Amino acid sequence: MTWTIIDEGRYSEPIQQALEPVLLDRVDAGEIGPTLRFWYRERPAALLGRFQDYSDEVATGYVEERNLDVVRRITGGGAMFVEPGAVITYSMYLPRSEVPSDVEESYAELDRWTIDTLRDLGIDVSHEPLNDIAHPDGKIGGAAQLRRENAVLHHTTMSYDLDIQEMLRVLRIGQEKVSDKAISSAEKRVARIGEYVDISRDDVIDAMVDTARNRFDVTERSLTDDELAAARRLADQKFSTSVWNEEL
Amino acid sequence: MTETIDARSSKKVPDGKLIRVDLTYDDRIESVTITGDFFLEPPEAREELERAIEGHPNDVERDELLVAIQDVDASLIGFTAGDLADVTREALT
């Protein structure tokens, strides 16, 4: 499988989220091949899953006070708090033919190269169904997928050195959700890559790119002007509007 | 004239996701909103699931709800039609 890697560009959260359907649709239409994109953010933000209720998940008063971006993803799954430089987010846009048809199997398969990279760095991580990357201390990251007719989006966010206290101020972490995990403190639920390695976040991303190079046929490119223009339009029309972000 | 009631119930599916049902009902289920950290393919099917639950009597049998939910052409990921039927009936009680 030949992957094209896009590993550059710092964008606002609405543009980042808008790039997801833009690139997924281009793979779906056969205009571009398998693509891996790393994200670089401008500001802290809260991300909502496609089906989550805004006020159930976000501490609305604090978010307004801090003027944080809250952006709904096109994928399901849970709310996340992200900060520039403190998380690693990447997206894979793949033809369906390259992805196992079984959903559970596809999460495990598409997380594998990342988990192998982290293990090579000495971190005790494993895939935890359905969509978690887990360390014995807690969850390091999570993935979410969306399927189109001919393409699959698989995007993952992992904590490098996320500010957990701030996360707990921004998100309402439901007790309900942790009730079956026998964990008393929400803090214990997040484990951070930076606690287990002495290398920088950029070095971790470089290690991931190296894994991809060794495993797949890899080329690199930038986003095209056309892709960016489409994402900026979609950010304006959808991903920066309260209709999309706050309503269902 | 039956009183209109707003109700909410939720369930964290073991080894699965959280589903939450908000509904308004009198003698029938008037409106439904399904939220949570689940996955659904295609995502637009959420509204079809909501429509499938609406209109049933407030003492609807589980099997009747289940059939209506299963009739929606969608992949439910992290929960089952049975989970959704159970949460809906819990909100009605």
Side-chain angles (χ1 to χ4, degrees), chain A:
Chain A
M1 173 162 51
T2 301
W3 282 14
T4 298
I5 298 184
I6 302 171
D7 183 20
E8 57 163 42
R10 192 171 298 276
Y11 306 109
S12 72
E13 199 64 37
I15 291 173
Q16 293 282 13
Q17 299 296 341
L19 280 165
E20 301 303 77
V22 166
L23 294 173
L24 179 63
D25 286 347
R26 285 174 194 213
V27 173
D28 190 38
E31 294 167 12
I32 59 174
T35 302
L36 165 67
R37 181 174 76 90
F38 288 95
W39 299 33
Y40 297 92
R41 294 189 157 89
E42 292 178 337
R43 306 176 56 214
L47 312 184
L48 293 180
R50 172 78 171 246
F51 309 111
Q52 289 187 300
D53 181 86
Y54 180 86
S55 53
D56 282 344
E57 302 299 330
V58 173
T60 49
Y62 188 74
V63 158
E64 279 162 28
E65 183 189 315
R66 293 287 315 273
N67 194 27
L68 292 177
D69 290 329
V70 181
V71 183
R72 187 182 297 282
R73 302 189 303 268
I74 58 171
T75 51
M80 289 184 302
F81 173 60
V82 294
E83 300 171 291
V87 298
I88 297 172
T89 300
Y90 60 90
S91 304
M92 298 155 74
Y93 319 88
L94 304 169
R96 269 214 184 202
S97 56
E98 305 281 0
V99 178
S101 55
D102 179 77
V103 169
E104 192 159 333
E105 196 184 327
S106 72
Y107 274 99
E109 172 79 21
L110 296 180
D111 271 349
R112 184 163 298 135
W113 67 284
T114 302
I115 285 171
D116 289 348
T117 305
L118 297 179
R119 283 187 184 158
D120 287 345
L121 294 173
I123 311 174
D124 181 13
V125 290
S126 55
H127 174 78
E128 195 174 281
L130 172 72
N131 57 330
D132 286 354
I133 294 175
H135 184 277
D137 295 343
K139 175 174 167 173
I140 279 188
Q145 295 184 351
L146 181 66
R147 280 165 173 69
R148 295 271 201 258
E149 191 178 350
N150 303 307
V152 176
L153 163 66
H154 177 101
H155 55 197
T156 300
T157 291
M158 303 185 291
S159 169
Y160 176 77
D161 60 358
L162 192 65
D163 182 342
I164 307 298
Q165 291 302 323
E166 181 70 355
M167 180 191 84
L168 293 171
R169 285 188 285 268
V170 171
L171 302 181
R172 299 187 206 278
I173 308 278
Q175 282 308 302
E176 207 162 24
K177 193 179 161 185
V178 297
S179 62
D180 75 328
K181 302 211 171 170
I183 295 170
S184 56
S185 156
E187 275 180 73
K188 287 186 192 161
R189 297 180 60 231
V190 179
R192 303 178 296 178
I193 291 169
E195 291 173 26
Y196 311 108
V197 292
D198 287 328
I199 61 174
S200 70
R201 170 182 175 273
D202 283 349
D203 289 341
V204 175
I205 292 176
D206 286 346
M208 293 177 66
V209 172
D210 283 344
T211 302
R213 280 185 198 290
N214 291 336
R215 231 169 256 207
F216 313 101
D217 194 11
V218 166
T219 60
E220 293 193 38
R221 72 166 174 97
S222 307
L223 288 168
T224 64
D225 291 345
D226 186 55
E227 286 164 343
L228 258 179
R232 287 184 199 285
R233 262 196 315 275
L234 199 54
D236 284 344
Q237 292 164 357
K238 182 170 180 177
F239 293 94
S240 60
T241 67
S242 58
V243 171
W244 171 256
N245 292 324
E246 297 178 29
E247 295 171 24
L248 265 171

